[in-house]
Every structure is written in structure tokens, then in C-alpha cells.
Amino acid sequence: MPTLTLRGKVIITGEIEAVTGLHIGGAAAGLDIGGIDNPIIRHPVTREPYIPGSSLRGKMRSLLDHHLGKEANHFIQRREPVVRLHVCEDEAAYTRCPVCQIFGVTPGERRGWKNLKPARLIVRDVHLARDHEATERLRQAKTDLPFTEVKWEAAIDRITAAAVPRQNERVPAGAVFAPFELVYGLYDLNGTGCDRDLDWLRYVFKAMELLEDDYLGGYGSRGAGKIRFRQIKVEFKSRRYYEGEVALETLAERIDDVRQLPVSEYITRLQQLIREG
């Protein structure tokens, strides 16, 4: 029988700043504030906007697929609009693929694979930063709707110049969501170690960097959705930490540029900590 041993978890936290207006769509039927063609998603209790972990994780995976040139070979939805993504179909490809290793594959028919591991990356929902000056400014601002603006756009007929207006709800630029939390698990399968998991950790930071130069949510090609990761902190919880024997290990703190994260230093330090248990 296979044995899977958790060797520790890397915890990446910080803030997400909306550099431009942010639109992550929600269901119009679920909103009681009428008149908006394209509402955003809101917390069902506080009614505040938030960033679903699924949106953040899905965009990071998509950008990493593009960066590594992965084939979109798996249909999520065959009817229009067709939705496809990359999923390794054989075990040999999976063993070499950082995308499927980090973000996971649906077990299903892959249950017989000997090298199948759990998805390494967990991405939490991110809420508006409590007690942050940016949130207080937003709370006091006279916006069109609570915490959001209504942006008017118009499609222009190229022949008659007739305009068809539409309304998009957005979180204004400058809003801060915090804390974001990414949890990266390190697993040892059948005593083979977790050096490859450590090596693939750099792709998590690569996906964050790619996302900063792309957009999150909708209407990105029209200016919305630019974000920036700030105050990034990287910590490690080893097996001994969970047993109450050692303190939390901080690997990096308060870094505002993903590109400045010394990933190679983490890996060396993490290898040492894992050897210590």
C-alpha cells in the first residue's frame, strides 16, 4: 500500500491591492440592489465584496498553463461557451508537470496511478481588509453602491454610431483585500522525499507574478482587474511545529515585489528544516 507523509506546509500571506477597478461577477438574482447589468460577487452576510479563492486559483493555473505551453486538452464544458483546460492524461506526463502537480487532477480514472499526490496548493477566499485605511476610505466614500462603483460603458454601432449602454459594478481602485493566504503542502510519497515539491514551489510565485501582469475577474482588456500583491510573508510549518516542538519559521517578510522573493534561499532553508523533521 502507498504511504503519503506530510513533510510540512509553506504559508504565503499578504495583501492584494486593486490597482484598477475590480469586477468579479456574481449572480444578479442574488442581489437586492437593483438596476446593475453585471453585479459583482458579495459576501452573503456582510454584503461586502470579496475575492473567491476559486477565481484567484483558476487564474493562476490558467496563466501558468500559458506560460508553460500546456495543451488545453480537457473539456470542462462542451456546450457553448466551450471551456477547456490542461490536464495530464497519462502518469508519465503527470510526473513531470508542475501545473497538474501543484493544482491537482481529478482522481477518477487516475486512481491506479502510483505517483498520484494531492494538489499541493490551497487558495483561500480573500475579504476586504479589516481596520485598513483603504477600507475605511471606501466605507466613507460616496460610491454608487456600498463599497463599489457603477461604471458605464457603451457598445457603438460601427455604421450608425448608435450606442448601447451597459453598467458594470466594480470595486474601485485602491481597495485592499487581506489577508490572502496560499498554502503549499510538501508530501513524501513512499519515502521518495519531497525535493520535487520544493522545486515546484517557485511556480507558485511565478503564477503570482504572471497574474500581476494580467488581470483578475472580468473586463481586463478594458482596463479592469489589475492587482498587486503586497506585504508578502512566507512561513513554514514543519512536522515538529504541528507537534508543538518548534516555533513557526519565517522565510520572508513584508516584501512588496514578487520578483524580489529569494526563492532559491527558501528551498535550501526548507530542505534543512525538513531534514530536521
Side-chain angles (χ1 to χ4, degrees):
M1 296 293 288
T3 59
L4 187 69
T5 306
L6 177 67
R7 306 300 295 179
K9 289 179 180 287
V10 178
I11 316 293
I12 306 163
T13 56
E15 301 177 348
I16 295 176
E17 177 189 8
V19 179
T20 64
L22 181 64
H23 174 94
I24 299 178
L31 291 180
D32 53 7
I33 302 170
I36 300 299
D37 298 326
N38 300 301
I40 64 161
I41 190 167
R42 290 177 181 268
H43 190 285
V45 176
T46 66
R47 310 302 294 163
E48 294 177 358
Y50 74 102
I51 299 174
S54 57
S55 298
L56 197 54
R57 190 178 191 277
K59 189 70 180 192
M60 289 170 66
R61 178 171 191 158
S62 169
L63 292 169
L64 206 52
D65 275 346
H66 293 166
H67 180 66
L68 298 176
K70 296 293 181 180
E71 180 187 6
N73 59 345
H74 181 75
F75 284 86
I76 297 297
Q77 177 172 291
R78 290 184 181 273
R79 67 177 185 277
E80 294 295 335
V82 175
V83 179
R84 292 164 292 187
L85 50 75
H86 167 74
V87 176
C88 288
E89 299 290 354
D90 64 80
E91 189 170 10
Y94 168 78
T95 303
R96 299 187 302 270
C97 178
V99 175
C100 290
Q101 295 273 349
I102 293 171
F103 294 93
V105 294
T106 305
E109 60 191 27
R110 301 174 180 87
R111 292 186 187 281
W113 289 8
K114 295 180 180 177
N115 295 305
L116 190 63
K117 284 185 175 182
R120 310 300 189 283
L121 188 65
I122 297 169
V123 183
R124 313 282 192 203
D125 291 348
V126 195
H127 301 277
L128 272 180
R130 298 283 178 190
D131 305 322
H132 195 287
E133 59 179 357
T135 304
E136 187 56 33
R137 283 200 305 271
L138 193 56
R139 189 175 285 116
Q140 299 297 328
K142 296 179 180 179
T143 50
D144 303 293
L145 294 170
F147 299 101
T148 63
E149 62 179 341
V150 176
K151 181 174 182 292
W152 284 85
E153 296 181 352
I156 308 296
D157 185 282
R158 300 301 189 265
I159 306 301
T160 66
V164 178
R166 60 191 172 216
Q167 302 166 311
N168 298 326
E169 186 181 19
R170 308 194 313 179
V171 180
V176 174
F177 297 81
F180 78 80
E181 183 179 73
L182 313 181
V183 182
Y184 185 83
L186 301 169
Y187 293 96
D188 179 343
L189 180 63
N190 298 328
T192 55
C194 56
D195 284 351
R196 224 163 187 191
D197 286 2
L198 287 170
D199 186 44
W200 283 326
L201 175 59
R202 61 195 169 94
Y203 287 108
V204 175
F205 299 112
K206 183 65 65 182
M208 293 169 66
E209 183 179 346
L210 289 167
L211 179 52
E212 285 190 332
D213 292 333
D214 206 273
Y215 62 89
L216 182 64
Y219 315 120
S221 65
R222 303 204 292 274
K226 180 175 175 56
I227 66 161
R228 186 163 67 100
F229 294 100
R230 308 191 319 186
Q231 304 287 311
I232 302 169
K233 188 175 185 179
V234 184
E235 298 169 305
F236 178 63
K237 294 183 177 179
S238 64
R239 290 172 58 81
R240 294 179 65 198
Y241 170 84
Y242 288 110
E243 294 294 335
E245 297 174 359
V246 297
L248 185 69
E249 184 78 20
T250 299
L251 304 171
E253 191 168 14
R254 300 177 67 84
I255 293 180
D256 277 344
D257 190 339
V258 180
R259 297 163 186 81
Q260 292 178 356
L261 289 162
V263 182
S264 59
E265 293 180 17
Y266 303 162
I267 293 173
T268 303
R269 180 63 180 142
L270 285 168
Q271 286 171 332
Q272 179 186 348
L273 291 167
I274 289 169
R275 281 196 299 271
E276 294 171 357

